[in-house]
Amino acid sequence: MATITRLLQKNIPTSCTRFFHTTVSVQARAAVAMSRLESDQVIRYDRLEENISIVKKRLNRPLTLSEKILYGHLDDPHNQEIVRGESYLRLRPDRVAMQDATAQMAMLQFISSGLPKVAVPSTIHCDHLIQAQIGGEQDLARAKDINAEVYNFLQTAGAKYGVGFWKPGSGIIHQIILENYAFPGVLLIGTDSHTPNGGGLGGLCIGVGGADAVDVMADIPWELKCPKVIGVELTGELSGWSSPKDVILKVADILTVKGGTGAIVEYHGPGVDSISCTGMGTICNMGAEIGATTSVFPYNKRMKDYLVATNRQDVAGAATAMQDCLVPDKGAQYDELIKINLNELKPALNGPFTPDLYNPCSEMKENAVKNGWPLEVKVGLIGSCTNSSYEDMGRAANICKQARDKGIKAKSAFTITPGSEQVRATIERDGYAQVFRDVGGVVLANACGPCIGQWDRKDVAMGEKNTIVTSYNRNFTGRNDANPATHAFVTSPEIVTAMVFSGELGFNPEVDSLTAADGSKFKFDSPTGDELPAKGFDPGEDTYQHPPSEGGSVVVDVDPESNRLQLLEPFDVWNGKDLVDMALLIKVKGKCTTDHISMAGPWLKYRGHLDNISNNMLIGAINIENDEANKVKNVLTGEYGGVPDVARHYKANKLNWVVVGDENYGEGSSREHAALEPRHLGARAIIVKSFARIHETNLKKQGLLPLTFSDPSDYDKVRPDDKVSLKGLNEFAPGKQMECTLTHADGSSDTIWLNHTFNKTQIEWFLAGSALNRMKQSQ
C-alpha cells in the first residue's frame, strides 16, 4: 500500500536533477484583494514570483512547492542563507489568525509591546470557549453569557489594534480561514496547531505560539528554521469507504507522531486530483499530529472550484495565471519520499491514546480484543476542524439516510459539529441536519467543542473504561472528556457514522451487515456526497466585525480583580550568572504533550490570566519517581504536593528549577501557555531527549532554555532529588554545547552535555528575559 524512500539532499548526484538556468519572467499582475472582507489588502503574487526567480537563480536547482512559497516570502531573498534543515529563514507572512483561547495571551502581549496597530491583516476567531452540553443554540447562548468578559476584551482589542473579529458562533478558525482567507501561495501563521488546514488551498499555513504572532503583527521578520521537505506521492483514486482522512491516518502510521518534525509534508502525484479541496484540508490539518511544520498540496482545479464556490473568482483567476509558481518544479527533490496508492487504501481508525496507532477496519475487532479495548462504542462524534466540510456532512448524511430508510436509529450517542456558520446554514437548508436529527443525532454549535475537551459529558463516570470514535485529529489521554480511561479513536466521519448504528468498535461497513426494523439484514452502500452545494453556500448569519479605520479611541478594559484576564508583567532579565543548584521539579515519564503541560477543557476559561492558568502546570505529567500525576516531592520541606504548588513554593523561596522529559516533549497544541506557565512559576530550563517544534520555539520566546541530551541515555542518570547546574552561560553561543552537572543526594555527581538550537537572535531573547522584552529594548 505504501512505500517510503529516504532521499538525502546532499547525496543526490547532479545527473539525477535537471537544473534551471533561466529565470521566471516577472510580469505586472492585476491587484487582487486578499479577501472579500479586506478590499484594501492585496495578494502580492508579484513579490512571490520575483522572489522565487531570485532564489531559483541563486540555488540553480528545481524547487519544491514548499520552497517556492517559503522562499517567495523571504525578507531578503538576495542574501538569505538557505540550507534545508539548518539555516534560519527570515520571512514576511501575509497574515495572522488567532483563535480565542490563544488570542487572549497574544493580544495581551501585543498590548505590552506598546505598538498602536497591527502591521499585517490579522483576525480573531471565537471557537474554543463554547462547551458542548445540550445543543447548538443553547450552548452558544450559554457561552456568550459566561464568556462575555473575554469576548468583550477580544472584540475591543481587535477594534483598537486593527484586528478583524469573528464572533462566537461563526465557526472553527480553520474552516473560516479556508472559506475566506486562505489562497494558493499564501504564507499564514496561526496561533493554533491545526492551522495547516489551509494547505488544502495550496498555501503554507503554519501553527505558532502567540509570541510569534506578535512578532509578525509588529512588522518584525518571522524566523523559522528552514524545513526539510517530505514528499508524499499519491497515485490511484479514492473510492468506496476510503476517504481523505485515511490518507493522513496512513501517513501518521508511517511517520509516527514525531516523524514530520522539522519538515513540511508536500503531497503530489496524479492521485491528488481525486481529492476535493476540503479533503486536502483534512489531510493537511491532521499533519500536525506527525509533528510537521505544515503540509501542502499543489494548486489544481479542485482548489479553483472551491475558490469560485466561496465567491473568490478573482483569486481563482489570479492563481491560475500563477500556476507555475504554485506547483513543484519538475525534478524537485525531497528529503524523504512516501508513496501511497489510493486504489489500495482501506478505511482505518487510529488510536487509542495516540494518533499514530493504525488499525485498519478489517483488523479493528481483533486488535481490540487482543488489547482489551472496550468494544461498545459509547459515543460517535463527527465534525471538528478536521472533518466538518459540506462534503463531510453530506457523506455522513448519506449513511444516515440509508439507516433511516431501514427504520433504525443510532445505538451510540451521536453528535455533529458543523465547521462554520456557512456550513451549518447550508446543511440546514439542504436537509442534512434534519437527517442527522431523525436518526438521533445532536447538532452542536459551530465550534471546537468536544474535540478540545469542551464537552460536559454525563454518560460515563470519571475513570470508567469506555470507547468513543471521532472524526477529530487528536486523541491523547483525557483529551476529549478529561477521563483518562476513555479510549478515543480517530477516523473518517463516514466510519464514525456507520459505527454509531452498529454500536460496535469492530464493525466493518465494507463487509458487515446490520438488522433493519423489519428484521432483514442489510449492508450500507458506500457513502456519497456532493463536494460543493449545488445551490451554492448559504452564508447564514453575518458574524464578522471589521475593525474601524481609526481605533485609537477604543478603550480596552482589563479589570484588576478579574479571574479571567490579567495584564502581563515583564519576565526578569538574566542576571549574568550560571544557573547553579537548581531543583528538579519533575522528571517526566513517557509522553508529555502540551495537554499534559497545560490542560484545556475547564482550564480554557483562564487562558487570559497567566497566574490562574498556571495552577494547571504539568498536572497531567507522570512523575517517574512514583508513576503518579501531579505528585512531586518538595525538596525544601520533604513533603509531596501538586506540581504547581511545589513550583510556587520554590519561586517564593527564590529557588530556580528545571524539568526533565522524554522524547517529542510538548507535542500537540501550539498553546504557548505550556511555556508561559513554567516561566511564570520560576523555571529556567527544560531538558529532554527531543522537542516538538512549536513548543521548543515557545520556550525560547519566553526566556527559557530548551535543551536536549547530547546522549539520550543521560536521561537515566538524572535522579528525582538531583541539584542541576548549567555552566558556561557567559559563553552561550549558537552550536556550542552546554555543560550540565547533576549533583546527587549521596554527594556524587555526573557531568553531562546538552545541545540546543538557539541562533544569535534567540540567545538575545534569553539574555533579555523574553522575546517581548527584547522587542521593547529595540524600539
Side-chain angles (χ1 to χ4, degrees):
M1 181 188 297
T3 61
I4 181 167
T5 307
R6 283 174 171 76
L7 302 174
L8 298 178
Q9 199 75 23
K10 61 185 179 183
N11 292 331
I12 297 171
T14 55
S15 59
C16 293
T17 307
R18 170 175 166 260
F19 289 103
F20 286 81
H21 294 283
T22 58
T23 60
V24 178
S25 60
V26 180
Q27 304 171 357
R29 299 195 180 276
V32 173
M34 192 180 291
S35 157
R36 56 190 171 79
L37 302 171
E38 299 161 336
S39 57
D40 59 330
Q41 302 289 341
V42 299
I43 298 174
R44 291 296 309 276
Y45 274 150
D46 56 337
R47 182 182 65 183
L48 182 77
E49 193 173 29
E50 181 178 3
N51 285 3
I52 291 171
S53 175
I54 292 167
V55 172
K56 188 179 287 190
K57 187 174 182 179
R58 284 182 54 199
L59 299 182
N60 198 30
R61 63 170 173 81
L63 299 180
T64 65
L65 171 59
S66 307
E67 292 180 300
K68 287 183 177 182
I69 300 175
L70 269 187
Y71 306 160
H73 287 82
L74 286 172
D75 183 53
D76 182 3
H78 292 282
N79 300 301
Q80 170 73 59
E81 180 188 25
I82 301 173
V83 181
R84 288 194 336 209
E86 294 183 22
S87 54
Y88 278 88
L89 305 179
R90 290 169 63 81
L91 301 161
R92 292 288 183 177
D94 295 299
R95 64 182 310 119
V96 173
M98 300 169 280
Q99 42 94 337
D100 49 357
T102 51
Q104 295 171 63
M105 199 57 70
M107 292 308 296
L108 286 165
Q109 289 177 88
F110 189 82
I111 291 169
S112 296
S113 76
L115 296 170
K117 195 171 184 178
V118 298
V120 301
S122 304
T123 50
I124 293 169
H125 304 259
C126 295
D127 61 359
H128 270 57
L129 301 180
I130 302 168
Q131 186 183 56
Q133 278 192 333
I134 304 168
E137 289 186 13
Q138 303 97 315
D139 294 346
L140 178 59
R142 179 173 178 270
K144 287 179 177 179
D145 179 44
I146 64 175
N147 299 312
E149 178 187 12
V150 171
Y151 292 147
N152 179 65
F153 166 73
L154 293 174
Q155 187 172 10
T156 55
K160 185 175 184 68
Y161 297 105
V163 180
F165 180 73
W166 287 85
K167 301 173 186 177
S170 302
I172 304 172
I173 177 173
H174 311 304
Q175 187 68 29
I176 297 295
I177 289 171
L178 202 70
E179 293 172 354
N180 297 277
Y181 299 117
F183 59 84
V186 70
L187 178 60
L188 178 152
I189 65 165
T191 59
D192 188 278
S193 58
H194 294 108
T195 300
N197 189 82
L201 254 178
L204 291 186
C205 302
I206 302 176
V208 299
D212 274 347
V214 171
D215 278 356
V216 176
M217 293 190 292
D219 203 28
I220 296 171
W222 175 56
E223 278 198 342
L224 177 72
K225 191 169 187 178
C226 188
K228 294 184 177 182
V229 186
I230 298 173
V232 180
E233 181 182 339
L234 302 178
T235 56
E237 294 185 359
L238 288 175
S239 62
W241 284 89
S242 296
S243 73
K245 188 65 163 284
D246 293 301
V247 176
I248 186 58
L249 295 177
K250 187 61 190 175
V251 172
D253 173 46
I254 295 167
L255 288 176
T256 76
V257 291
K258 62 178 183 176
T261 303
I264 294 174
V265 178
E266 183 172 313
Y267 294 85
H268 61 282
V272 166
D273 291 336
S274 75
I275 304 172
S276 68
C277 175
T278 52
M280 290 185 262
T282 291
I283 294 167
C284 292
N285 177 297
M286 195 174 159
E289 309 320 317
I290 57 173
T293 301
T294 192
S295 302
V296 68
F297 279 82
Y299 179 65
N300 67 1
K301 186 180 183 300
R302 309 297 282 266
M303 296 182 192
K304 180 180 179 180
D305 290 345
Y306 185 79
L307 287 168
V308 171
T310 50
N311 299 315
R312 291 177 283 173
Q313 292 86 345
D314 53 347
V315 177
T320 301
M322 278 281 294
Q323 185 141 9
D324 285 350
C325 291
L326 302 174
V327 297
D329 286 333
K330 184 178 180 181
Q333 296 290 336
Y334 297 97
D335 298 283
E336 193 170 312
L337 183 63
I338 297 169
K339 296 183 179 182
I340 296 177
N341 184 344
L342 300 180
N343 292 332
E344 300 174 2
L345 195 63
K346 293 293 185 180
L349 302 91
N350 283 18
F353 307 122
T354 184
D356 59 354
L357 183 56
Y358 188 74
N359 302 281
C361 275
S362 58
E363 301 173 19
M364 188 72 252
K365 185 171 184 178
E366 178 185 350
N367 291 347
V369 171
K370 179 174 64 177
N371 291 287
W373 302 333
L375 283 170
E376 180 190 2
V377 174
K378 289 286 189 179
V379 190
L381 307 98
I382 66 170
S384 87
C385 63
T386 320
N387 280 110
S388 57
S389 68
Y390 182 81
E391 180 182 37
D392 289 327
M393 296 290 112
R395 286 170 64 88
N398 176 264
I399 297 167
C400 291
K401 285 179 184 177
Q402 294 183 53
R404 186 181 64 181
D405 290 347
K406 295 295 183 179
I408 64 172
K409 290 194 173 187
K411 289 185 177 180
S412 309
F414 184 35
T415 70
I416 303 93
T417 305
S420 68
E421 170 61 10
Q422 179 168 277
V423 169
R424 183 209 62 79
T426 306
I427 67 170
E428 286 285 2
R429 181 199 67 194
D430 292 351
Y432 294 171
Q434 188 56 49
V435 171
F436 292 139
R437 296 185 185 104
D438 288 347
V439 297
V442 176
V443 179
L444 300 174
N446 316 322
C448 301
C451 182
I452 61 163
Q454 284 284 47
W455 184 17
D456 186 20
R457 190 178 181 191
K458 303 291 190 184
D459 63 300
V460 297
M462 185 61 65
E464 181 181 342
K465 195 174 178 181
N466 74 101
T467 286
I468 63 173
V469 291
T470 82
S471 70
Y472 302 163
N473 42 42
R474 197 166 280 164
N475 58 350
F476 302 142
T477 302
R479 164 79 179 182
N480 304 121
D481 60 1
N483 182 358
T486 293
H487 293 56
F489 296 84
V490 291
T491 184
S492 67
E494 298 93 319
I495 294 299
V496 172
T497 306
M499 282 190 170
V500 300
F501 291 103
S502 71
E504 292 289 330
L505 183 61
F507 180 72
N508 180 1
E510 290 190 305
V511 298
D512 292 339
S513 299
L514 295 174
T515 303
D518 63 4
S520 63
K521 297 290 184 180
F522 76 98
K523 282 172 51 181
F524 285 125
D525 294 331
S526 298
T528 60
D530 291 339
E531 176 179 349
L532 296 164
K535 294 186 286 186
F537 282 107
D538 182 337
E541 182 183 345
D542 183 5
T543 54
Y544 174 67
Q545 176 181 295
H546 195 68
S549 55
E550 294 295 332
S553 61
V554 176
V555 176
V556 181
D557 284 328
V558 176
D559 183 351
E561 301 301 316
S562 172
N563 70 353
R564 299 287 302 270
L565 298 166
Q566 180 186 48
L567 292 174
L568 297 174
E569 295 292 333
F571 289 131
D572 61 314
V573 176
W574 178 55
N575 63 9
K577 300 177 181 178
D578 285 344
L579 296 166
V580 298
D581 291 339
M582 295 182 288
L584 174 57
L585 178 67
I586 182 172
K587 182 180 178 182
V588 179
K589 178 181 179 181
K591 185 185 284 283
C592 189
T593 71
T594 48
D595 282 77
H596 292 87
I597 304 168
S598 177
M599 288 184 177
W603 292 94
L604 282 168
K605 61 178 171 287
Y606 298 123
R607 284 283 181 88
H609 196 294
L610 180 54
D611 195 55
N612 283 346
I613 191 72
S614 294
N615 288 323
N616 79 354
M617 186 194 70
L618 286 160
I619 62 175
I622 301 300
N623 182 4
I624 199 169
E625 181 186 12
N626 51 23
D627 275 338
E628 294 188 45
N630 202 27
K631 185 177 181 181
V632 295
K633 187 175 184 179
N634 186 323
V635 298
L636 297 178
T637 66
E639 299 176 353
Y640 283 85
V643 181
D645 299 324
V646 173
R648 286 185 186 277
H649 189 256
Y650 290 166
K651 182 180 179 181
N653 287 274
K654 296 182 171 52
L655 176 61
N656 294 326
W657 52 267
V658 304
V659 170
V660 167
D662 211 314
E663 296 278 6
N664 208 30
Y665 185 90
E667 70 172 280
S669 166
S670 70
R671 67 192 69 154
E672 65 183 335
H673 300 77
L676 282 160
E677 293 173 31
R679 182 71 165 100
H680 176 63
L681 295 186
R684 295 298 175 182
I686 310 294
I687 305 168
V688 300
K689 292 181 182 178
S690 65
F691 284 103
R693 174 190 64 86
I694 300 176
H695 187 59
E696 181 181 22
T697 301
N698 286 344
L699 292 168
K700 292 178 183 178
K701 286 278 187 178
Q702 303 308 332
L704 284 159
L705 292 170
L707 306 168
T708 57
F709 294 104
S710 173
D711 179 353
S713 67
D714 285 343
Y715 171 88
D716 298 321
K717 294 179 180 178
V718 181
R719 305 175 190 175
D721 52 1
D722 280 351
K723 293 180 180 179
V724 181
S725 298
L726 298 176
K727 300 177 179 179
L729 284 174
N730 280 308
E731 299 173 1
F732 189 13
K736 184 176 181 180
Q737 287 187 325
M738 192 170 293
E739 182 180 351
C740 175
T741 299
L742 305 171
T743 303
H744 308 306
D746 62 6
S748 64
S749 65
D750 282 298
T751 296
I752 61 176
W753 293 92
L754 306 174
N755 296 331
H756 66 83
T757 60
F758 281 82
N759 61 22
K760 184 178 178 181
T761 299
Q762 294 168 345
I763 290 173
E764 290 176 355
W765 301 343
F766 169 74
L767 300 179
S770 70
L772 189 58
N773 287 359
R774 180 61 184 141
M775 182 194 298
K776 290 181 180 178
Q777 291 174 357
S778 302
Q779 289 177 8

